[in-house]
Amino acid sequence: MANKKIVVGNMKMNLTAPEINKFLKVIEKKKYNNQVVFCPSSLYLPYFIGKGYDVGIQNIAAYENGAYTGEVSASQAKSMHLDYAIIGHSERREYFKETDEVVHQKISLALKENLKVILCIGETEEERDSLKTYKVLKKQVTNALKGFDSKELKKVTIAYEPIWAIGTGRVPSNDEIQDTISFIKEIVKGIASINISVLYGGSVNEKNITTLNQIESIDGYLVGGASTKAEKFMKIIEVVVNQ
Ligand code: 13P
């Protein structure tokens, strides 16, 4: 029986419209069975919607609606039939100064609209070196998820993305990932007594996916760079879906 792991492609601010069309032509050859989530740049979301794919937005506004030039609200995302919203990506936290409070507010708006949330957390290299990883993750998870009940939290998936592993080709060992994921699951059990799904993200590619996929507690992957290359992304999907 097929497993239920998911593969999420966070395409970030990559690809032009012609490149997206080429990408679509390659991926259209397969059915994805709700195990794959495409998160292209917001501009291209309509190309993916209504084709039987699960689709997510890379970010939503921290406000419900109104005069916020350039922003996209949770209700707008829902009204376009999107399935997921990625919230709290480290690039949003770093470059757009998103605090834990903003992340919490965005989760609250997404859940109100019944969007599934992919909450990103992760430590910097400096935090890792000074053995603060668990402390940092606990704070990020607690601040983001406090106050939500177990029914709401069932709509949340956590993506553990060590910041030092994003776009660097460096990946923690399977044992490290396993331990960290178990730790994150324990924190959420402490908050709401539920089994939360946890994805790994950070330099996942078509070469390391078979090794990563041996990690027992993992519920899927958040893929950046490799999700922008259709053939590479399909290889990753094949390994995960057919395990
Ligand atoms: P890379 O796969 O390019 O390291 O990016 C990971 C990421 O940030 C996904 O959200």
Side-chain angles (χ1 to χ4, degrees):
M1 209 177 90
N3 65 71
K4 283 280 172 272
K5 283 183 196 164
I6 64 169
V7 183
V8 184
N10 174 10
M11 300 164 88
K12 307 190 182 180
M13 200 175 70
N14 291 302
L15 305 184
T16 60
E19 286 165 344
I20 282 283
N21 282 321
K22 271 195 203 150
F23 181 95
L24 282 163
K25 286 213 175 78
V26 180
I27 62 157
E28 266 162 12
K29 292 174 190 141
K30 281 239 176 251
K31 285 246 171 289
Y32 295 102
N33 213 11
N34 298 108
Q35 279 183 272
V36 182
V37 185
F38 293 97
C39 304
S41 161
S42 294
L43 200 55
Y44 307 136
L45 284 166
Y47 297 153
F48 290 79
I49 295 165
K51 295 195 169 162
Y53 309 135
D54 274 12
V55 186
I57 190 161
Q58 295 173 12
N59 173 45
I60 53 161
Y63 308 95
E64 276 199 70
N65 57 51
Y68 298 100
T69 301
E71 293 287 286
V72 177
S73 71
S75 62
Q76 289 175 322
K78 189 64 189 179
S79 72
M80 287 294 282
H81 310 290
L82 296 187
D83 305 285
Y84 286 86
I86 297 176
I87 295 178
H89 193 281
S90 62
E91 287 148 17
R92 302 286 324 166
R93 294 179 193 255
E94 184 182 351
Y95 306 134
F96 303 95
K97 308 291 167 227
E98 281 188 13
T99 60
D100 282 352
E101 288 65 39
V102 169
V103 168
H104 183 273
Q105 169 70 1
K106 290 185 175 192
I107 295 173
S108 168
L109 291 167
L111 292 177
K112 202 169 138 200
E113 295 298 334
N114 220 10
L115 285 165
K116 290 184 217 164
V117 168
I118 297 169
L119 163 67
C120 300
I121 59 168
E123 80 285 1
T124 62
E125 179 140 48
E126 197 190 337
E127 287 160 347
R128 171 185 159 90
D129 290 347
S130 52
L131 307 179
K132 291 196 185 120
T133 299
Y134 282 14
K135 193 174 161 211
V136 168
L137 297 180
K138 186 169 184 184
K139 184 166 166 280
Q140 288 174 341
V141 172
T142 312
N143 286 345
L145 300 185
K146 66 184 169 208
F148 298 119
D149 61 29
S150 52
K151 195 168 153 235
E152 290 170 312
L153 291 177
K154 283 194 180 127
K155 295 214 147 264
V156 178
T157 296
I158 292 179
Y160 169 55
E161 298 205 300
I163 295 167
W164 53 270
I166 295 177
T168 58
R170 292 167 60 204
V171 174
S173 70
N174 277 16
D175 283 350
E176 277 177 278
I177 297 175
Q178 163 86 33
D179 289 349
T180 310
I181 285 180
S182 302
F183 174 75
I184 294 165
K185 290 189 179 203
E186 283 307 310
I187 299 170
V188 178
K189 264 195 201 134
I191 298 175
S193 310
I194 62 155
N195 275 320
I196 200 146
S197 293
V198 182
L199 316 178
Y200 169 77
S203 294
V204 176
N205 60 40
E206 74 290 357
K207 297 194 186 93
N208 60 23
I209 188 64
T210 308
T211 304
L212 285 169
N213 212 33
Q214 289 161 359
I215 300 169
E216 238 171 62
S217 54
I218 213 160
D219 297 298
Y221 305 90
L222 180 53
V223 186
S227 76
T228 64
K229 312 248 173 10
E231 283 84 6
K232 288 188 180 182
F233 196 41
M234 301 260 287
K235 275 191 197 151
I236 295 171
I237 293 165
E238 290 281 321
V239 172
V240 178
V241 172
N242 296 327
Q243 186 189 35

